[in-house]
Amino acid sequence: MSYQDHIIEMGQLIKSKNGTWDGISAESVARMRLQNRFKTGLEIARYTADIMRKDMAAYDANPADYTQSLGCWHGFIAQQKLISIKKHFGTTDRRYIYLSGWMVAALRSEFGPLPDQSMHEKTSVPALIEEIYTFLKQADARELGMLFRDLDAARSAGNRQKEEKILDAIDGFQTHVVPIIADIDAGFGNAEATYLLAKKMIEAGACALQIENQVSDEKQCGHQDGKVTVPHDDFLAKVRAVRYAFLELGVDNGVIVTRTDSLGAGLTKQIAVSHAPGDIGDQYNSFLDCEEISPADMANGDVVLNRNGKLLRPKRLPSNLFQFRAGSGEDRCVLDSITSLQNGADLLWIETEKPHIEQIAGMMDRIRAVVPNAKLAYNNSPSFNWTLNFRQQVYDAWSKAGKDVGAYDREKLMSVDYDATALAIEADEKIRTFQADAAKRAGIFHHLITLPTYHTAALSTDNLAKEYFGSQGMLGYVLGVQRQEIRQGIACVRHQNMSGSDVGDDHKEYFAGEAALKAGGVHNTMNQFA
């Protein structure tokens, strides 16, 4: 409904109350309604799921239309990110939010900072989703409130042309609410536990859930050692549990992102059930590191496989885990990905050890030979040393092409001494175009950075502490923070306005009229930043 339609509808309702509601302003109600477009998390989930589906179709038609997100660990961080995107680009199209389980564990657990091993409270994940959307909805209310004030000013000045322009801006307003891809880790338990948590996350507003094929009680960060995967049947039960959660709640377009950690996972906790040669369990077991034995070689407690009439003993560690063959990771990733897509997944996530387009593309080429529209969400991870990785990639390419690399030490390419060299400049250009290049070549629909705002918070706080507690004193804050906020037009410089003070004043006026005691008067120091 348009702004005027809301006013007309509310006016008719108020009139129908025979004067008892005459203290209510139809236009004020219209404003409050537009400032609170989404009444529930499920409304958000359905709305954002449709956005993702539209974006996925657009990417299939043109891989230049890839999507991006940054990981956010607090509603305020997500809010400022979306405000910044609207300010600089005029639209939030194809920009999402990533909710990282790593950052929830490290920053939002009541136990304090934890490693990424699913030890944090599972309820903290849906709580953060709800918090993020609360802040994004407040950004809507704030920006619309500013438009309403501009509308009142145009009317007071009798400027009809400006009034019409503002009314068009109100009716064409784009919400700050965008899709969240939320990390459900390995499901925090069995398939039933996965289903229950998925429901909470969807009810909070998540339209896309990312689940990984590690065991839930041995889950590790994707960029650490010691990862243990589960057989496909176990993982697919959890994928189906997530789909059931979406369908039960009426989010029929919900997006499931299946992540395979098989590239870096050399262990499995159990041998898969197999009923016939070549079935999915048999394929999973075929990657086990086994030795052929005879019945006489069997020891007490041995686990033995029968394959094509041969007895095979998988290598079992003292931890009771079984070991995969070295070098089988890419083949397992391909099998994991194809199997997931054939059983209800919408997007893939292949966790790699480095950002190398051809490595990713090599696996995606094999996957797309079976599932042509396969698409990836890819972690542009801060766990990668991007500078060193890409300088080494350029070094290797130059060496292969016969170009002289005698001026460079491959193992020390991170050094600042190389920053102005031709090799470093070429590497930086490859980093700059990585997302567009990988979207085109390697099927990456969504580029995300899991932990960027964790690092930016640490870096900015370090810089402020160094200056403020050093010889610069208050100038350390003014020069490095406030003056930059003012000159770069950072909305947060008027922090009272950002926290909702002006919206609160509007409500006071709606409720009490001229008797309202408002905070935004002439003596409000925020007027220094008007």
Side-chain angles (χ1 to χ4, degrees), residues 49-59 93-94 96 445:
D50 287 343
I51 289 175
M52 280 198 71
R53 294 292 179 174
K54 175 178 67 71
D55 288 345
M56 289 161 69
Y59 173 81
D93 290 352
R94 302 200 307 276
Y96 303 168
F445 158 74

Side-chain angles (χ1 to χ4, degrees), residues 184 186-187 189-196 198 211-213 230-245 256 258 280 339-340 343-345:
I184 198 171
N190 60 14
E192 176 70 8
T194 302
Y195 154 78
L196 293 171
I211 186 166
E212 59 203 57
N213 69 335
V230 298
H232 297 90
D233 284 341
D234 294 41
F235 182 60
L236 294 177
K238 293 184 179 182
V239 173
R240 286 190 291 271
V242 173
R243 181 63 69 201
Y244 272 108
I256 299 176
T258 51
I280 194 63
T339 304
S340 291
N343 288 273

Side-chain angles (χ1 to χ4, degrees), residues 385 387-396 398-399 403-419 421 423-424:
N385 184 331
T387 302
L388 182 60
N389 264 292
F390 276 82
R391 288 182 182 182
Q392 288 182 340
Q393 287 179 39
V394 173
Y395 179 98
D396 294 341
W398 282 12
S399 296
K403 194 169 182 177
D404 183 16
V405 292
Y408 303 97
D409 183 336
R410 189 180 186 279
E411 300 308 314
K412 297 180 180 179
L413 286 174
M414 184 66 201
S415 171
V416 67
D417 296 337
Y418 293 120
D419 282 0
T421 64
L423 184 147

Side-chain angles (χ1 to χ4, degrees), residues 164-206:
E164 290 297 328
K165 186 176 180 181
I166 296 169
L167 285 170
D168 287 342
I170 292 169
D171 286 341
F173 180 80
Q174 186 180 35
T175 177
H176 295 82
V177 169
V178 298
I180 285 179
I181 299 176
D183 186 358
I184 198 171
D185 281 13
F188 286 84
N190 60 14
E192 176 70 8
T194 302
Y195 154 78
L196 293 171
L197 179 56
K199 279 182 55 174
K200 287 293 185 184
M201 294 169 73
I202 297 162
E203 287 169 340

Side-chain angles (χ1 to χ4, degrees), residues 64-221:
D65 290 335
Y66 59 89
T67 57
Q68 299 168 292
S69 66
L70 296 174
C72 298
W73 55 273
H74 193 281
F76 176 74
I77 299 295
Q79 178 198 66
Q80 295 305 301
K81 170 186 143 181
L82 266 298
I83 288 173
S84 176
I85 288 169
K86 285 194 75 174
K87 180 183 77 171
H88 291 295
F89 305 104
T91 178
T92 61
D93 290 352
R94 302 200 307 276
R95 277 87 174 195
Y96 303 168
I97 290 169
Y98 180 67
L99 190 155
S100 162
W102 192 102
M103 286 205 285
V104 173
L107 299 170
R108 303 301 302 261
S109 171
E110 291 185 9
F111 295 111
L114 294 171
D116 185 20
Q117 296 173 349
S118 292
M119 295 188 291
H120 53 282
E121 311 90 336
K122 64 173 70 176
T123 52
S124 59
V125 183
L128 179 54
I129 297 169
E130 183 176 5
E131 175 184 294
I132 287 173
Y133 280 128
T134 297
F135 273 81
L136 295 185
K137 290 192 293 181
Q138 193 263 1
D140 282 358
R142 170 188 169 273
E143 187 174 327
L144 281 165
M146 293 163 67
L147 286 172
F148 297 148
R149 285 167 179 249
D150 290 343
L151 179 64
D152 291 341
R155 286 172 174 172
S156 296
N159 190 335
R160 182 65 181 169
Q161 184 177 5
K162 187 173 183 181
E163 179 183 349
E164 290 297 328
K165 186 176 180 181
I166 296 169
L167 285 170
D168 287 342
I170 292 169
D171 286 341
F173 180 80
Q174 186 180 35
T175 177
H176 295 82
V177 169
V178 298
I180 285 179
I181 299 176
D183 186 358
I184 198 171
D185 281 13
F188 286 84
N190 60 14
E192 176 70 8
T194 302
Y195 154 78
L196 293 171
L197 179 56
K199 279 182 55 174
K200 287 293 185 184
M201 294 169 73
I202 297 162
E203 287 169 340
C207 72
L209 300 183
Q210 167 228 323
I211 186 166
E212 59 203 57
N213 69 335
Q214 294 190 50
V215 292
S216 57
D217 58 339
E218 297 282 355
K219 181 257 188 303
Q220 290 279 14
C221 170

